Amino acid sequence: MAEKTKSLAVKYRPKTFDDVTEQAYTIQILQNQLESGDVKNAYLFTGAAGTGKTTCARIFANEINKGQGNPIELDAASNNSVDDVREIIQMAQTRSMDSEYKIFIIDECHMITTAGWNAMLKLIEEPPLKSIFIFCTTDAQKIPKTILSRVQRYNFKRISQKGIFDRLQYILDVEFVDLRTENFGYAKDAVEYIAKLSDGCLREAVTNLEKCLAFSDNWLNLENVIKALGNQNYDTFKGITDALLDDDKSAIIDYVNQVYSDGTDMKLFIRQYMDFVLDITKYFITDDFKYTSLPPTDEMQNWISGLGAEVYSILDMLVAMQSAIKWDTNPKSYIEARFLMFGGEK
């Protein structure tokens, strides 16, 4: 049986604050607290997925305890009841056996129940002397105000496209240095496109990079990246757009039924198609792909250049459709009808 290897996301997860991509202000404050010894008992790290919350919590915990012991990590998505919180309270009453502080990292803490937070409140107000709690969440608005007022909150911003690009390039240069000198290479625009699609989530970008490398392990170029990450069917989107603008009703029926027959969720399809048309309009306005998720290929550029201003009418229709099908259990008929009526609405 082949030995299981670590994923790139795990292998290149930062081990020190110096390795963390961006979040400089938050890191500076935490480092200042470490230097002064003014470490608090309760922290809240909040921000979008993949921005480094849990990673920084682990690094901070390691720095507090000077590399001794390990923090107690709990996933509140599956350990969120009042009984789970009471167990945490009980654990916090005893001193750590292998480090100065007993540190709890509670991930997805917005999933803790109201009763659980009520039980946690007393612990946060009067924490044991050598216990520290670091809460991590992507949805801080779900946390009770009574808790928010008793923790030190740090907001983790989405990582910039340049920050993600630099990290991906570093991984490629380190991971494949031997291969790169012999038969491996990568194109800058391919790495930039992976970074763009991640929407500020570094973990997703690294995962997508690994997927692309598995697709083609000797040359990472834009064409291979588009194929590997082809979660959006650009040919279908372009075909429907052409059919709508040409009022080709037969083609419209074919495309809608093809999407439906493929088992695609029709609401998700409309959302993805709306995003596609929105990207087209952004390109019309800016004449630049950097504000879009579209692949910056000559083929895509030439196709968009051949479209007219009527594409704005498609976007208007799709925005209205999003609301109309929100609660529809079977929106195919409505979608088909609106598409077929588009020629008469222009």
Side-chain angles (χ1 to χ4, degrees), residues 64-319:
I64 291 171
N65 278 326
K66 299 179 174 59
Q68 297 180 333
N70 292 301
I72 300 169
E73 295 193 35
L74 300 167
D75 180 11
S78 54
N79 301 279
N80 53 23
S81 69
V82 66
D83 289 336
D84 292 319
V85 172
R86 285 172 180 158
E87 187 174 343
I88 294 172
I89 294 171
Q90 186 175 3
M91 286 191 291
Q93 304 306 317
T94 59
R95 294 284 296 269
S96 173
M97 300 296 291
D98 55 6
S99 59
E100 181 178 359
Y101 291 90
K102 182 174 282 189
I103 302 176
F104 297 83
I105 298 176
I106 303 176
D107 214 353
E108 303 296 339
C109 67
H110 60 275
M111 299 292 287
I112 295 175
T113 63
T114 301
W117 279 123
N118 289 337
M120 182 78 74
L121 183 59
K122 183 69 173 177
L123 183 65
I124 295 176
E125 282 183 328
E126 300 176 9
L129 184 62
K130 293 295 184 177
S131 290
I132 296 174
F133 301 89
I134 307 176
F135 300 96
C136 301
T137 180
T138 56
D139 199 353
Q141 65 181 0
K142 292 183 179 179
I143 299 174
K145 291 182 179 179
T146 52
I147 299 295
L148 292 175
S149 64
R150 290 167 171 82
V151 298
Q152 252 197 23
R153 175 172 175 170
Y154 294 90
N155 296 321
F156 285 67
K157 65 179 182 178
R158 291 184 185 275
I159 300 173
S160 69
Q161 185 175 326
K162 182 182 184 306
I164 293 177
F165 171 82
D166 289 344
R167 186 61 178 175
L168 295 182
Q169 195 169 48
Y170 167 80
I171 291 172
L172 286 167
D173 288 341
V174 173
E175 182 73 6
F176 300 100
V177 62
D178 293 333
L179 291 174
R180 184 163 55 86
T181 58
E182 297 175 4
N183 62 354
F184 175 81
Y186 62 87
K188 179 181 177 182
D189 60 350
V191 183
E192 287 177 338
Y193 188 54
I194 295 172
K196 181 190 294 186
L197 290 182
S198 67
D199 193 26
C201 176
L202 181 54
R203 181 175 58 246
E204 181 178 342
V206 176
T207 300
N208 283 339
L209 173 64
E210 189 163 29
K211 182 178 179 181
C212 293
L213 292 171
F215 178 80
S216 179
D217 59 4
N218 63 344
W219 179 246
L220 188 70
N221 59 23
L222 184 59
E223 181 183 359
N224 288 337
V225 168
I226 293 171
K227 290 178 181 177
L229 303 180
N231 58 330
Q232 298 189 27
N233 191 331
Y234 290 116
D235 289 338
T236 298
F237 290 158
K238 288 161 64 178
I240 291 178
T241 302
D242 288 335
L244 287 170
L245 296 176
D246 296 338
D247 197 22
D248 187 342
K249 298 188 186 303
S250 178
I252 290 171
I253 293 172
D254 284 342
Y255 276 115
V256 173
N257 280 276
Q258 174 189 327
V259 171
Y260 183 75
S261 298
D262 288 342
T264 303
D265 183 299
M266 298 303 288
K267 294 180 185 178
L268 177 61
F269 164 72
I270 291 299
R271 176 58 196 232
Q272 290 179 336
Y273 183 42
M274 185 186 75
D275 290 342
F276 175 78
V277 177
L278 177 60
D279 278 343
I280 293 173
T281 60
K282 288 180 183 177
Y283 183 82
F284 271 145
I285 295 169
T286 65
D287 196 31
D288 198 323
F289 279 114
K290 72 178 181 180
Y291 299 104
T292 78
S293 296
L294 299 173
T297 61
D298 291 339
E299 180 186 358
M300 183 65 74
Q301 183 178 21
N302 293 335
W303 178 76
I304 295 175
S305 299
L307 301 176
E310 288 177 342
V311 74
Y312 291 101
S313 299
I314 298 179
L315 181 60
D316 184 60
M317 174 186 66
L318 292 170
V319 170

